[in-house]
Amino acid sequence: MDFLFDYGLFLAKIATVVIAIVGILVIAKGLKGQHGAKGELEVTDLTEQYNDTVHQLESHLFDKPLLKARDKAEKKADKEKNKARQNEIKKAAKSGELSQTREPRLFVLDFHGSLDAREVTSLREEVTAILAVAVEGDEVLLRLETGGGMVHGYGLASSQLDRLKSAGIKLTIAVDKIAASGGYMMACVADRIISAPFAVVGSIGVIAQLPNFNKLLKKNDIEFEQITAGEFKRTLTMFGENTDKAREKFQSEIEETHELFKAFIAVHRPELDLEKVATGEHWFGKQAFELGLVDEIGTSDDFISHACKEREVLQVRYVQRKKLAEKLAGATGDAADNLLLKWISRGQRPIV
C-alpha cells in the first residue's frame, strides 16, 4: 500500500508540473501575441569600429605630430574620394543607373541556433533586406554557431542561405565554435567555409530517441490506451508496447532522412567522400579541413579585420523591441518551449 501511495503521489506531482507548464505556455504565448511589436533592422558599421580601435591604440604608440599629419592626409584623401563619388552619382543620375553607383559591401550576419532553429525568423528578414539592396560584388559572411536540431527548422535555415546563392551573392560561413549536424547542413551551402582549428564540424547523421515505460505500467497494473487512424500515424510510443514492425518503420524513416541529408550535402559539396564523412562522427577544424568538410582554417575575426581594410563592412541584425512584461512573458514561453521540444526530440521527431 505504501508503494501505491508513493507512486500515486509521484504521478500527482508529474501531473501538476505538466499542467503548470501548459498553463504558463498558454499565458506567455498569449502575452507575446497581444503586444508583439514589429521588428526592425539594426545596422552596425564594423569598418568604423575597426578604424576607431586602431586609431585609439595608435594614439598611445605614436607622437602627436605624426598622428596630426596622418589625420590631415586622411581628411584630404576622404575629401577627394567624396568629390569623386559626387561626380559619379551625378553622372549615374543622368543616365538613370543611380542604383549601381555604390561600392560593394560585406554584410555580416550571425546565427546562434537553438534546437528548433527559431532564429530562422530573424535570418529570413536579414536575407530579404540584403537581397533588396544588393549590387554586383556584394558578399555575405555568416558567423554560424549551432549543434543542430529539428530537421524542418534547419532545412528552412539552409534554404534562406540558398536564396543568397541563387541571387549570385558570394556567401562565406565562419565556424568559430561549432557547426554540427543541422549546423553543417547550413554551412555546406556556402561558397567557402572557414573553421577555427578546434571548432567542432560534421556530425552528418540523424538521431531520435525516447524512453518506454510500458513494462513499468504493466508491473503496476496500469493500462495505457492509444487510438490512431492510419497504420503508421504513430510508430514508437513512450507508454504503449512497441512492436518490431513499428521499430522497422521508424528506422526506415530515420534512414530516409539521413539519405536526404547526404543528398543535400552532395549537391553543395560534390567533392566530399560521403561514405567517409556521413557517419554521424564529428571532427575538429584541422581534421575537417583534411577531410574537405571546410575550405580554410581561420576565424571570423581574421576575415572581418582583413575585409575592413578593403571595403565597408556592415553587420545586419533583425531585432524586436519588447517591453519588460513582454520580455518576461517571452522568456517564460521560451523556457516552456524548450522543455516541450526536449520531450519531442526524445520521441517521434528526427534530429539533425
Side-chain angles (χ1 to χ4, degrees):
M1 289 298 293
D2 289 340
F3 170 77
L4 291 177
F5 176 78
D6 291 340
Y7 188 69
L9 184 61
F10 169 75
L11 290 179
K13 289 179 179 179
I14 292 296
T16 302
V17 171
V18 171
I19 292 171
I21 290 173
V22 172
I24 292 172
L25 179 60
V26 171
I27 295 171
K29 290 297 184 183
L31 286 173
K32 290 170 71 176
Q34 288 174 10
H35 304 289
K38 182 175 174 60
E40 60 183 16
L41 285 176
E42 265 188 6
V43 180
T44 304
D45 191 332
L46 297 184
T47 301
E48 184 179 349
Q49 286 187 355
Y50 175 81
N51 290 334
D52 288 345
T53 301
V54 172
H55 288 167
Q56 185 179 5
L57 185 57
E58 286 180 342
S59 67
H60 295 278
L61 299 175
F62 303 109
D63 55 35
K64 289 184 178 180
L66 180 63
L67 291 172
K68 188 175 181 180
R70 192 274 312 275
D71 291 341
K72 186 176 180 180
E74 285 185 350
K75 288 180 180 179
K76 183 179 179 180
D78 289 340
K79 187 176 180 180
E80 292 176 352
K81 184 177 180 181
N82 289 334
K83 185 177 180 180
R85 285 289 297 156
Q86 290 298 325
N87 292 332
E88 185 180 348
I89 290 172
K90 288 179 181 178
K91 291 179 181 179
K94 290 180 180 180
S95 63
E97 297 179 355
L98 189 61
S99 61
Q100 299 299 317
T101 58
R102 75 167 177 81
E103 296 178 357
R105 263 72 165 179
L106 171 67
F107 297 99
V108 178
L109 307 179
D110 290 286
F111 189 94
H112 291 197
S114 55
L115 183 64
D116 62 341
R118 67 177 68 102
E119 296 77 12
V120 73
T121 302
S122 295
L123 179 63
R124 72 199 310 174
E125 297 290 346
E126 293 159 359
V127 169
T128 298
I130 291 173
L131 291 176
V133 300
V135 300
E136 185 176 354
D138 281 344
E139 297 184 24
V140 171
L141 169 70
L142 176 71
R143 294 184 288 198
L144 178 63
E145 183 181 330
T146 178
M150 298 296 185
V151 176
H152 57 282
Y154 280 90
L156 179 57
S158 302
S159 297
Q160 295 301 322
L161 298 181
D162 212 19
R163 293 173 62 198
L164 295 170
K165 295 285 296 297
S166 299
I169 299 175
K170 184 177 180 181
L171 173 64
T172 300
I173 288 183
V175 184
D176 291 327
K177 293 182 179 179
I178 181 171
S181 203
Y184 191 74
M185 179 188 289
M186 292 178 65
C188 75
V189 177
D191 296 288
R192 178 167 57 152
I193 305 175
I194 300 172
S195 170
F198 289 96
V200 175
V201 180
S203 189
I204 305 172
V206 184
I207 183 174
Q209 55 188 350
L210 77 164
N212 183 268
F213 300 100
N214 183 251
K215 291 182 179 179
L216 178 63
L217 297 178
K218 282 186 175 180
K219 184 178 179 181
N220 292 281
D221 296 324
I222 300 173
E223 294 185 1
F224 171 77
E225 293 186 6
Q226 179 174 265
I227 301 172
T228 61
E231 183 179 4
F232 296 115
K233 176 62 180 177
R234 175 70 65 188
T235 50
L236 300 185
T237 171
M238 292 178 60
F239 299 106
E241 185 173 357
N242 291 318
T243 65
D244 289 338
K245 187 175 183 180
R247 293 188 186 94
E248 290 174 5
K249 174 61 177 175
F250 194 65
Q251 180 66 44
S252 69
E253 291 173 350
I254 294 294
E255 291 175 356
E256 182 180 351
T257 304
H258 190 212
E259 290 302 318
L260 290 171
F261 191 179
K262 291 194 294 183
F264 183 84
I265 293 174
V267 170
H268 294 282
R269 295 186 73 87
E271 72 284 356
L272 272 178
D273 182 355
L274 286 176
E275 294 303 317
K276 189 173 184 179
V277 300
T279 59
E281 299 171 82
H282 66 267
W283 294 271
F284 292 117
K286 286 191 174 181
Q287 298 169 315
F289 174 72
E290 294 171 358
L291 291 168
L293 288 163
V294 302
D295 303 299
E296 184 181 334
I297 296 298
T299 66
S300 62
D301 306 291
D302 294 328
F303 188 91
I304 292 174
S305 297
H306 180 74
C308 285
K309 298 175 183 178
E310 300 180 340
R311 61 169 69 183
E312 188 174 14
V313 181
L314 301 175
Q315 180 183 8
V316 179
R317 294 176 62 238
Y318 181 80
V319 295
Q320 187 171 356
R321 305 300 181 190
K322 297 179 181 179
K323 298 178 183 178
L324 179 59
E326 292 173 299
K327 289 180 179 179
L328 293 174
T332 306
D334 289 342
D337 283 348
N338 287 333
L339 184 57
L340 291 176
L341 283 167
K342 286 179 182 179
W343 279 93
I344 292 172
S345 67
R346 293 169 183 165
Q348 298 289 314
R349 213 50 86 79
I351 302 294
V352 295

